Amino acid sequence: MQLQLIAALVIVFLIVTFAVQNAVEVSVIFLLWRADASLAVVIAVCFGLGALIGALVTLPTMLREHMAIGRLHKEVEALRVENDGLRALKQNEASVPEGY
């Protein structure tokens, strides 16, 4: 987790450094839309949109995995309870003398 945070901070630092060094005015044209902004703003917006799209794409998988993990935790707990019951039954059988 810390390695991911460090990598993310390094990437953000590199993007900010690039944007500051290239702070010229650029025109962005998309279909019929045109915007004039500094390169730093364009890079920041594109980076933010990329992060947002990435998060939205991974969200369904993360939710599915979270639900599966919850279901598996419940199954493990049920199996623990069953295992404890079987151990108690085995101990009770072992404590009863033979012939009874």
Side-chain angles (χ1 to χ4, degrees):
M1 186 67 174
Q2 289 180 348
L3 184 61
Q4 290 175 338
L5 179 61
I6 292 170
L9 289 175
V10 167
I11 291 171
V12 168
F13 174 76
L14 291 173
I15 290 171
V16 169
T17 303
F18 179 81
V20 168
Q21 290 178 349
N22 295 287
V24 296
E25 189 81 12
V26 293
S27 293
V28 178
I29 301 170
F30 182 71
L31 299 175
L32 299 176
W33 179 71
R34 177 189 169 119
D36 294 322
S38 75
L39 185 59
V41 171
V42 172
I43 290 172
V45 168
C46 289
F47 182 75
L49 285 173
L52 179 65
I53 290 169
L56 290 175
V57 167
T58 60
L59 187 64
T61 302
M62 290 174 55
L63 289 174
R64 207 173 315 122
E65 288 177 353
H66 183 70
M67 289 173 24
I69 288 170
R71 191 171 47 250
L72 290 172
H73 278 297
K74 289 178 184 177
E75 185 178 340
V76 166
E77 187 58 35
L79 290 172
R80 274 196 188 124
V81 168
E82 182 182 354
N83 191 16
D84 291 342
L86 291 173
R87 282 187 181 165
L89 182 62
K90 184 177 178 181
Q91 285 179 350
N92 287 341
E93 288 176 357
S95 64
V96 175
E98 288 188 32
Y100 284 99

